Amino acid sequence: MQKLAGRGDEVVAGSFDLVIVGAGFAGLYMLHLARRMGFSAVVLEAAPGVGGTWFWNRYPGARCDVESMQYSYSFSEELQQEWHWSERYASQPEILAYANYVAWKFDLFCDIEFNTRVLAAAFQEDDCRWVVSTDQGMRYRAKWCVMATGCLSAAQIPSIPGLDSFQGPVYHTGSWPHEPVSLAGQSVGVIGTGSSGIQVIPEIAAQAGHLYVFQRTPNYSVPARNRPMDAEYESSWKAEYAQRRKKARAMSAGLLWDQGDKSALAVSPEERLQEYERRWAAGGTGIMAAYSDLLQNADANETVAEFVRGKIRNVVERSEVAELLVPVDYPIGAKRTCADTKYFETFNRENVTLVDHRASPIREMSSNGITAGSEFFRLDSLVLATGFDAMTGAISKIDIVGRRGLNLKEKWLNGPNTLLGLMTAGFPNLFIVTGPGSPSVLTNMIPSIEDNVQWIADCISHISEEGADFIEATGPAEETWMGEVRRAAEGTLFVQAKSWYLGVNVPGKPAVFMPYAGGMPAYQRICEEVAADGYRGFAIGTR
Ligand SMILES: Cc1cc2nc3c(=O)[nH]c(=O)nc-3n(C[C@H](O)[C@H](O)[C@H](O)COP(=O)(O)OP(=O)(O)OC[C@H]3O[C@@H](n4cnc5c(N)ncnc54)[C@H](O)[C@@H]3O)c2cc1C
């Protein structure tokens, strides 16, 4: 890296066509495409390694809930043929190994600055360049700035009075230590029963002396039925990967699964039960694809919700505990449906206590434990499975200043506004991968990432060929798109749960449904049409 003299204490690290922030699956692919198109690029990454989500989330039990054969890049036939996944649902270490393999295979490491957190990015109107500053005292100049900072990368720490006074270790699942953590024989508290909590709780219960699970909202979860990869299944995918990936992209969630085309209400209760039992036995979240209207029609949804509630009641032996674990006040699927391994069974263990902190709110922590309601629980260690400031958290932590001093955090004070989730008005040449206003977290993320990154690369290429200096979302087009995002959500049951899709897990965050719920095929079609129509809704110009 070339170091030039800079202003003040900062050193100018160099000028590039692109600065990419983040070395998860989005940043890695962006770098690869930029290079292939002949652009110079640097990736700035806060972590000391690649992998993003899979670098940070090292808690026991961490794994994906999209089948491995689909939770992987499709851009290289050679890569998808040569990589072997050892399980139906890959574990965190295996996905991290995959990310490292990709970075090695495509020779990406040399253009990544690790241990480098981006603190600020400012657009300079005179030369249409972004100046990106880091915690290493470096400044990078680039025409294009791509935020590949991740939708679930800013850990949400609850504000519990006295948390700092707790003498034992506190772990957040989203920044788990790299050294092995032993909780053997300890009294452990876990706060949170979302996707991460549901994965980590059975693992901790198996080693802790006693585990207290602090639950605010019970979650629907289905058995993953994870197992070693079946060789025939793997071969069948590899034999027709291209066709299957294409079919997957034609599905709303970007996932190839057995999507029923009938309404749940159009079949007899007996037929429905048989279908739900079949999918329950198969494992995974495919039960939500049993009928066409499970996420649109409340009555249809109630049929599958009630089926899952029955399963929870069957598994959990103590009825008063089962009732606490059964979600009743929101539709299934309105929050991310979890896939678990013996989660509900864990509550039959003698060393596990479920604490309903909706009824007995967590009041404070002290040096050796936590008080919820009027009860004190002595703890040696605390695990926060409290999720993320989703979709906007990582970007908002960066001080991003666009045209005429416009600050992105201030612009998004009442909720994020974007055009297609890809750009936001007032911030020329700044792209976001799977940003708010794109389907992102409602889909299998890797294809969504690939499609966004490809669109950005094509756009940069087009603007460069045109000899233009900038592209920018226009205000009216952005407003129209945000209306579309609201309309798409209104037609679904997603808005009926207090979920991180709406940001309500973060105190003070405006309750706005952030992802586009119109499905991946509709979104992709719109993105393609916009580009084909000369980037309709975007302003392209010279300085
Ligand atoms: C526990 C867990 C399980 C998941 N399971 C699934 C699943 O089964 N299926 C699915 O589709 N998706 C899943 N996801 C979503 C997952 O985040 C995406 O699938 C995908 O990994 C996102 O890749 P990314 O590159 O966009 O973001 P990330 O992987 O989050 O990477 C973003 C990177 O940006 C870096 N960064 C952020 N801010 C800065 C800054 N200011 N300066 C420098 N670097 C910065 C971060 O350190 C991080 O490395 C899961 C997420 C979690 C947390």
Side-chain angles (χ1 to χ4, degrees):
M1 180 182 63
Q2 188 196 5
K3 290 187 182 173
L4 309 168
R7 267 186 309 204
D9 291 342
E10 283 185 331
V11 173
V12 180
S15 289
F16 301 86
D17 293 318
L18 281 86
V19 166
I20 301 160
V21 188
F25 286 123
L28 292 178
Y29 187 44
M30 190 73 248
L31 174 60
H32 173 64
L33 273 195
R35 284 243 213 92
R36 225 169 56 185
M37 290 175 147
F39 294 109
S40 62
V42 63
V43 176
L44 307 177
E45 169 55 62
V50 299
T53 290
W54 307 102
F55 178 90
W56 295 109
N57 289 262
R58 294 169 185 242
Y59 59 86
R63 62 176 70 248
C64 62
D65 54 21
V66 167
E67 285 196 7
S68 317
M69 297 310 294
Q70 304 203 51
Y71 188 72
S72 49
Y73 285 123
S74 62
F75 72 84
S76 161
E77 179 62 13
E78 193 178 286
L79 172 67
Q80 64 187 4
Q81 288 300 331
E82 70 195 7
W83 185 263
H84 164 68
W85 294 105
S86 68
E87 291 177 279
R88 180 186 187 189
Y89 296 104
S91 66
Q92 171 271 328
E94 194 166 25
I95 305 173
L96 183 58
Y98 172 74
N100 275 285
Y101 179 74
V102 170
W104 168 81
K105 181 177 171 73
F106 298 99
D107 192 23
L108 303 178
F109 285 111
C110 55
D111 287 330
I112 306 175
E113 297 292 336
F114 292 111
N115 299 304
T116 301
R117 180 168 289 283
V118 170
L119 302 177
F123 183 68
Q124 298 194 330
E125 301 211 34
D126 53 349
D127 62 356
C128 281
R129 290 291 181 277
W130 281 94
V131 176
V132 175
S133 309
T134 73
D135 63 353
Q136 299 300 307
M138 302 290 232
R139 281 193 295 139
Y140 297 78
R141 273 167 50 83
K143 180 169 178 182
W144 312 100
C145 181
V146 180
M147 291 294 164
T149 42
C151 294
L152 300 170
S153 60
Q156 176 58 22
I157 310 286
S159 57
I160 303 171
L163 183 57
D164 287 346
S165 66
F166 182 59
Q167 294 296 298
V170 178
Y171 307 101
H172 190 287
T173 49
S175 51
W176 197 263
H178 292 196
E179 319 71 56
V181 173
S182 172
L183 301 169
Q186 293 189 15
S187 177
V188 182
V190 173
I191 300 179
T193 53
S195 306
S196 305
I198 280 174
Q199 289 185 336
V200 82
I201 283 165
E203 300 281 334
I204 295 180
Q207 49 165 310
H210 201 94
L211 171 62
Y212 297 97
V213 176
F214 296 88
Q215 172 189 274
R216 184 174 54 195
T217 313
N219 244 297
Y220 294 98
S221 185
V222 298
R225 306 210 195 284
N226 188 34
R227 53 179 174 262
M229 180 60 71
D230 177 84
E232 250 178 63
Y233 185 70
E234 183 181 9
S235 307
S236 75
W237 266 90
K238 288 190 172 175
E240 43 182 74
Y241 236 140
Q243 300 93 303
R244 291 194 188 185
R245 298 275 203 191
K246 195 166 167 212
K247 279 189 196 159
R249 277 180 158 86
M251 314 287 281
S252 180
L255 261 176
L256 187 56
W257 56 6
D258 181 11
Q259 176 64 59
D261 55 5
K262 285 187 239 167
S263 162
L265 305 175
V267 299
S268 69
E270 296 73 28
E271 184 182 332
R272 223 166 33 217
L273 181 64
Q274 213 177 8
E275 183 61 8
Y276 290 152
E277 287 288 3
R278 183 179 77 78
R279 290 180 184 250
W280 185 265
T285 53
I287 194 164
M288 294 307 297
Y291 296 101
S292 60
D293 52 357
L294 294 180
L295 283 169
Q296 279 79 32
N297 181 312
D299 293 335
N301 183 280
E302 185 57 18
T303 63
V304 63
E306 194 48 30
F307 173 82
V308 174
R309 289 180 200 126
K311 290 290 184 191
I312 299 171
R313 290 186 175 109
N314 273 347
V315 168
V316 181
E317 288 158 7
R318 284 166 285 180
S319 62
E320 68 284 7
V321 178
E323 288 317 308
L324 289 178
L325 288 166
V326 166
V328 285
D329 53 2
Y330 65 94
I332 183 169
K335 287 171 176 246
R336 194 180 170 91
T337 308
C338 306
D340 69 86
T341 301
K342 306 252 179 266
Y343 173 65
F344 293 110
E345 289 83 342
T346 299
F347 294 91
N348 294 334
R349 296 176 64 110
E350 287 303 319
N351 70 334
V352 176
T353 302
L354 180 65
V355 183
D356 175 13
H357 85 86
R358 216 159 19 179
S360 306
I362 292 178
R363 287 198 0 234
E364 60 175 356
M365 291 216 56
S366 57
S367 62
N368 63 343
I370 192 166
T371 303
S374 56
E375 221 176 325
F376 175 75
F377 301 90
R378 193 193 63 73
L379 301 179
D380 299 308
S381 295
L382 179 66
V383 174
L384 301 174
T386 44
F388 301 90
D389 180 352
M391 301 205 78
T392 55
I395 292 179
S396 300
K397 281 190 174 168
I398 304 172
D399 185 24
I400 303 176
V401 180
R403 278 200 201 281
R404 292 176 286 281
L406 181 63
N407 185 288
L408 186 60
K409 200 173 168 185
E410 281 166 23
K411 181 186 170 187
W412 284 3
L413 217 51
N414 296 319
N417 296 322
T418 67
L419 180 48
L420 301 172
L422 287 159
M423 295 193 97
T424 183
F427 298 83
N429 296 359
L430 179 86
F431 294 97
I432 307 167
V433 184
T434 61
S438 77
S440 72
V441 289
L442 299 180
T443 66
N444 176 8
M445 286 289 282
I446 299 191
S448 277
I449 285 170
E450 285 184 314
D451 290 353
N452 265 194
V453 168
Q454 185 66 59
W455 192 94
I456 293 167
D458 290 343
C459 177
I460 289 175
S461 207
H462 174 82
I463 302 301
S464 304
E465 278 162 22
E466 295 271 294
D469 291 312
F470 69 84
I471 179 166
E472 180 181 359
T474 62
E478 183 169 287
E479 225 170 277
T480 306
W481 179 246
M482 292 325 289
E484 195 52 46
V485 172
R486 274 192 299 279
R487 252 190 309 284
E490 276 160 19
T492 70
L493 300 177
F494 286 124
V495 285
Q496 293 188 18
K498 291 181 180 157
S499 70
W500 55 259
Y501 297 142
L502 275 152
V504 293
N505 61 322
V506 179
K509 192 166 172 173
V512 173
F513 190 79
M514 294 179 284
Y516 171 65
M520 202 162 142
Y523 172 78
Q524 196 48 30
R525 199 191 58 245
I526 296 165
C527 287
E528 281 165 16
E529 284 170 4
V530 162
D533 205 6
Y535 293 89
R536 190 179 65 229
F538 292 86
I540 298 173
T542 48
R543 62 189 129 104

